[in-house]
Amino acid sequence: MTAHNPLAENLTRIRKARDFSQEGLAEAASVGVDTVARIEQGTRTTSRPTTLRKLAAALGVPVDALLGTMPAPHSRDVDVAPLRRVITADASIPGLEDLADTRELLPLPELTASAHGAWRAYVDGRHTELLHALPVVLTDARRGVRDTCDEERAGAHRVLSTAYRLGAGIAGRLGFDDLAYTSAARAIEAAAESDAPEVEAVISLRYLAWTLVRQGRAEDAERVATQAAAAIEPRMLDRDPVRAGVFGNLLFNAATAALRIGSASRAEDLLAAAHAAAIRSRGDTATEAAIFGPRVAALQSVELAARAGDPEQALRLAAAVPDTAGDVPAFWEAGHRLLLAAAAADLRRDRDALAWLAEARDLAPDWVRYQPLGRTTMRRLVDRAARRQGPTFAALATHFGMVKQEVDLDA
């Protein structure tokens, strides 16, 4: 067994604890016995999301139990080398050729389902699972682009664009902004060859605009987002949820960018246009295209107030956020709680701040570890604490990185 391979070690250990042979687990999970063997031997270090879910379900454990956990909530400790390698692979550069080979060409429906599983891990904030699965999804999609033709090839380009967008998203979350930009740019290129080039290109531009904001290029981000929004703006009677969602998300990006360059009134105007589109939408939805709806737009208003430095207004707006039924992702809801916690801490409402930090942790525990706002807010609460605060406070302090997990022998 290959050393330091959490998937190989965990799968072997849990399989034995569940009293499965390799053959028995393969049968229970409906996967090939050679797949189980290669994972345990360490010769197969990445697996498709569907394979991981099947193995985890057969063993009665979550996927994270197979993959292990991130070593620490800092991007410098996260191994993004496999993702970087697959995003930057380029057949036009000698020695950096495309990694896609001729094995296991997936049918388009299976390829689409695999990408959807990776997207679900992204919106649920399951970073470990996503970083493990995404290189495989990208490679499978590039293989589909290379080895199919006509409609199948256009569909593979659509999946490839989605996968590159996920690459941009996770790289940006972890602070690798240049890698995020590269992945977003490649998503745009793939979108142009897809079976829905107009919509896919605009969706990809949304990720690029978000990356530009992260890079400090707010003026560029606003320009990209507003021009893309104009290209897909739904008409007054157009209730297409995809167009409305992409349009609204682009305006969110543009509003954030406008605020960064000191134009609060421009940001409010952009957000008002997004609200109007949200009211006409059919509730809150989360798809690979967009996360949008009345509650999402209201949450964005709270964020705008908080980032404008008005914590009282942010908390007032939060009290009026509609509790509508819909599919708002956990990480989006968790981010809202982090903003509320920071606003409460600004107003020295420390008990409320702690409660919102706890809600954020419970909603998306892996995702919140990587959010500077959560760590900063928790640090303020720790610094202000005059006495022991109890086990809940201590657990949150540990989760948000206030307590070092290992002793540094060189310190």
Side-chain angles (χ1 to χ4, degrees):
M1 181 184 299
T2 301
H4 309 301
N5 185 332
L7 177 58
E9 296 168 3
N10 293 337
L11 182 60
T12 303
R13 184 180 64 255
I14 297 171
R15 174 179 61 77
K16 291 178 179 178
R18 294 291 198 232
D19 197 27
F20 273 113
S21 64
Q22 288 186 344
E23 293 79 7
L25 176 58
E27 182 178 356
S30 298
V31 301
V33 67
D34 62 320
T35 296
V36 176
R38 281 189 286 153
I39 291 174
E40 292 192 359
Q41 292 163 2
T43 59
R44 180 170 181 167
T45 58
T46 58
S47 304
R48 296 189 179 101
T50 51
T51 300
L52 288 174
R53 287 195 295 271
K54 287 178 179 180
L55 290 170
L59 292 167
V61 298
V63 170
D64 281 351
L66 297 180
L67 296 174
T69 57
M70 291 292 190
H74 301 288
S75 61
R76 65 177 179 271
D77 298 312
V78 178
D79 182 14
V80 297
L83 182 63
R84 185 184 300 279
R85 187 159 48 247
V86 77
I87 286 174
T88 58
D90 193 333
S92 67
I93 301 176
L96 201 61
E97 62 274 5
D98 193 331
L99 299 177
D101 58 32
T102 59
R103 294 178 295 114
E104 300 181 272
L105 179 64
L106 293 187
L108 183 58
E110 189 174 343
L111 183 60
T112 302
S114 184
H116 180 75
W119 173 80
R120 193 72 252 180
Y122 174 73
V123 296
D124 289 346
R126 302 195 305 272
H127 290 166
T128 307
E129 181 178 342
L130 179 62
L131 283 172
H132 180 87
L134 191 53
V136 180
V137 176
L138 278 163
T139 301
D140 283 341
R142 287 208 315 274
R143 187 180 298 125
V145 165
R146 191 191 64 184
D147 294 342
T148 59
C149 57
D150 300 331
E151 293 182 3
E152 285 280 317
R153 189 169 188 268
H157 266 115
R158 170 174 40 80
V159 175
L160 182 60
S161 183
T162 298
Y164 275 130
R165 292 196 294 265
L166 295 178
I170 187 61
R173 282 187 188 179
L174 296 176
F176 298 97
D177 295 336
D178 289 342
L179 182 62
Y181 184 92
T182 297
S183 201
R186 294 204 163 185
I188 295 170
E189 294 172 358
E193 303 296 329
S194 74
D195 50 7
E198 178 191 8
V199 173
E200 292 296 318
V202 174
I203 297 170
S204 300
L205 282 167
R206 177 168 64 84
Y207 280 77
L208 186 73
W210 175 76
T211 301
L212 289 169
V213 171
R214 294 189 57 86
Q215 290 182 327
R217 300 166 59 184
E219 292 183 357
D220 290 340
E222 184 183 357
R223 188 163 52 250
V224 168
T226 53
Q227 290 184 14
I232 201 172
E233 181 175 4
R235 293 174 291 278
M236 184 60 66
L237 299 179
D238 184 355
R239 293 186 178 273
D240 180 353
V242 173
R243 295 182 71 90
V246 176
F247 173 75
N249 280 193
L250 283 163
L251 293 185
F252 292 162
N253 293 142
T256 299
L259 191 63
R260 291 283 181 93
I261 58 179
S263 182
S265 60
R266 171 68 173 158
E268 290 175 359
D269 290 344
L270 290 164
L271 203 53
H275 270 284
I279 291 171
R280 297 196 302 270
S281 67
R282 302 170 182 173
D284 292 280
T285 58
T287 68
E288 287 92 334
I291 300 168
F292 193 61
R295 178 173 174 82
V296 170
L299 295 181
Q300 197 70 18
S301 294
V302 175
E303 178 173 350
L304 193 69
R307 297 197 183 281
D310 192 344
E312 292 183 349
Q313 175 68 355
L315 294 177
R316 279 196 297 269
L317 290 172
V321 170
D323 188 18
T324 54
D327 187 18
V328 180
F331 86 91
W332 203 296
E333 294 284 6
H336 174 63
R337 269 62 168 194
L338 291 182
L339 287 167
L340 298 185
D346 285 342
L347 300 174
R348 304 191 75 85
R349 291 168 49 181
D350 290 3
R351 189 180 297 275
D352 290 338
L354 196 68
W356 276 313
L357 285 174
E359 287 188 21
R361 175 202 59 188
D362 294 343
L363 282 163
D366 194 12
W367 179 82
V368 298
R369 292 178 189 272
Y370 296 87
Q371 305 310 306
L373 183 60
R375 294 197 298 274
T376 300
T377 303
M378 190 70 230
R379 183 176 294 280
R380 294 169 68 189
L381 299 183
V382 170
D383 290 345
R384 287 208 291 251
R387 60 178 67 86
R388 293 175 61 187
Q389 301 294 309
T392 299
F393 187 95
L396 284 169
T398 299
H399 191 84
F400 283 96
M402 300 300 102
V403 181
K404 198 168 184 179
Q405 298 297 305
E406 297 178 355
V407 176
D408 187 349
L409 298 179
D410 296 326

